[in-house]
Each structure stands twice: as structure tokens, then as C-alpha cells.
Amino acid sequence: MDFESFAASPRITTMIKLDHTHVLAAFHRYRTDAPHWRKAAIVNTICAALEIHAQLEEEIFYPALRAANPTAITLDKSVPEHDAMRESIAKLRATEPDSTAYDDTLMELMREVLHHVADEETILLPMAEQSLGHDLRRLGARMNTRRAQLVASRPAELAINSAGAFPVLTLSLVGAAALALVSALRARTRPPRHFQ
Ligand SMILES: [Fe+2]
Ligand SMILES: [Fe+2]
């Protein structure tokens, strides 16, 4: 890819934030009293989106951040937190959508995601903006290319469907309430003076 292609790519930090916004909006759409097929459709989309996002971060974002910040303590927790989410995802897939355990596990996954996203948005993304400045668009272009490969390998889960799940790969409009949730999360925590 040439320099002009990089220049046209969004920064990797912008793409990560957008993924977070989409997935938090999808959580917000989940209703415990919805029909089980609709709950399952939303959950399937959330799970696939989280798995792809985590893989992209682990392959592209975290290694670049680690190389520039070898002693970053917050980064030590990132992959273990992804693994905890993967366990909740596995639990969800093994649970009947019409059971209360399904709702409980989804809430557990949402708490894990909120905590993890807060750390990324208040510590890791500002750290990346500061330490990877020149590389942010090149990394964004890499993430785009890799995302296309990962999505192509699981088209059925990520198809925009009529069941009420969200179009994970597009700049969809999200509900005002979901946006409020995201901005509250982002406003609550400020970038620390010293990154760890
Ligand atoms: Fe993330
Ligand atoms: Fe992450």
C-alpha cells in the first residue's frame, strides 16, 4: 500500500473507538423480554463483533503499542480481559436464549466489555495517540485489510439481518440512548496525567 492510501485511512484509534460505539449500542438494544430469536440474533452479532475486534487488537494494535511502551502495565491486562470475554461468549453459546442464565451471562459480558473499553479509551488510546503518532494511519489501513479477511471467513454471522441486530461493519446510526451511554462512559474517565 502506498503513502496516499495510508493518508486516506482513518487512524487505528478512531477505528477502535467506532467498534466500541457499535458494540455498546448493540448491548443497549438487548431486551430481556424480547422474543428469544431476537435476543439470539443480537447476541450472535455482539459475539462475532467482539471476537473480530479482539483479534484485530491482539494482532495489530497491542503489539505496536507494546513496542513503543514496553513497560505499560494496563497493556498487561488486555489479553487476559479478552480471554475472560471469550469465556463469557462460549458460555452464552452453550446457553438456551430463553433461559434467565442467558440474560445473566449477557449482563456479565457487558460489564466486562464496559470495564475493558473504559481502560482502552482512557489509557491505551491516548497512549497510542501520543506514542504512535506517525503510524496511526498505517496501522488503521492494516486493521481494515485484516478485518475484511476475518469478516469474509464468517459471513453468515455478520450479515445484516432482519432480526434487529446491528450492521456491525457500517457507519450505522445508533440510538440516542446508546450514544448517551457511550459519551457518559467517555466523560466519566479522563486521560491520566501519567500513563502506566
Ligand atoms: Fe477495544
Ligand atoms: Fe480490547
Side-chain angles (χ1 to χ4, degrees):
M1 196 177 281
D2 58 26
F3 176 76
E4 268 123 53
S5 306
F6 296 156
S9 172
R11 296 197 303 258
I12 193 167
T13 43
T14 305
M15 294 167 69
I16 287 173
K17 266 194 189 181
L18 189 61
D19 278 358
H20 293 167
T21 300
H22 280 156
V23 86
L24 293 175
F27 276 115
H28 196 78
R29 283 190 176 191
Y30 188 88
R31 295 279 179 274
T32 53
D33 58 356
H36 64 88
W37 55 267
R38 184 181 164 92
K39 288 158 79 164
I42 293 173
V43 165
N44 288 342
T45 309
I46 288 173
C47 293
L50 284 174
E51 285 174 327
I52 288 176
H53 180 79
Q55 189 172 344
L56 291 170
E57 287 183 338
E58 289 174 15
E59 288 183 6
I60 297 167
F61 181 59
Y62 295 162
L65 198 55
R66 174 61 79 196
N69 303 273
T71 59
I73 293 167
T74 305
L75 203 44
D76 296 342
K77 298 187 296 177
S78 297
V79 174
E81 286 177 3
H82 283 181
D83 287 340
M85 287 182 235
R86 289 181 178 111
E87 277 175 32
S88 296
I89 288 171
K91 225 157 117 185
L92 270 169
R93 287 185 175 138
T95 306
E96 289 299 323
D98 56 358
S99 68
T100 52
Y102 199 72
D103 298 335
D104 294 345
T105 308
L106 186 78
M107 290 307 124
E108 186 186 321
L109 177 63
M110 189 175 78
R111 278 193 295 275
E112 289 167 340
V113 169
L114 280 170
H115 168 84
H116 182 76
V117 162
D119 272 357
E120 289 192 342
E121 297 212 357
T122 59
I123 299 173
L124 298 186
L125 297 185
M127 185 191 289
E129 292 282 345
Q130 196 171 74
S131 59
L132 299 174
H134 295 311
D135 259 349
L136 290 171
R137 289 185 194 279
R138 185 183 63 80
L139 291 166
R142 269 186 65 198
M143 191 162 163
N144 247 343
T145 304
R146 183 64 178 134
R147 184 196 302 274
Q149 291 169 347
L150 295 177
V151 168
S153 69
R154 49 201 303 178
E157 288 163 282
L158 293 166
I160 297 170
N161 61 56
S162 58
F166 69 114
V168 68
L169 297 170
T170 65
L171 292 170
S172 63
L173 290 174
V174 294
L179 282 175
L181 172 72
V182 176
S183 40
L185 170 73
R186 287 175 180 155
R188 205 179 60 221
T189 40
R190 292 201 153 60
R193 248 165 230 256
H194 301 291
F195 298 130
Q196 286 193 318

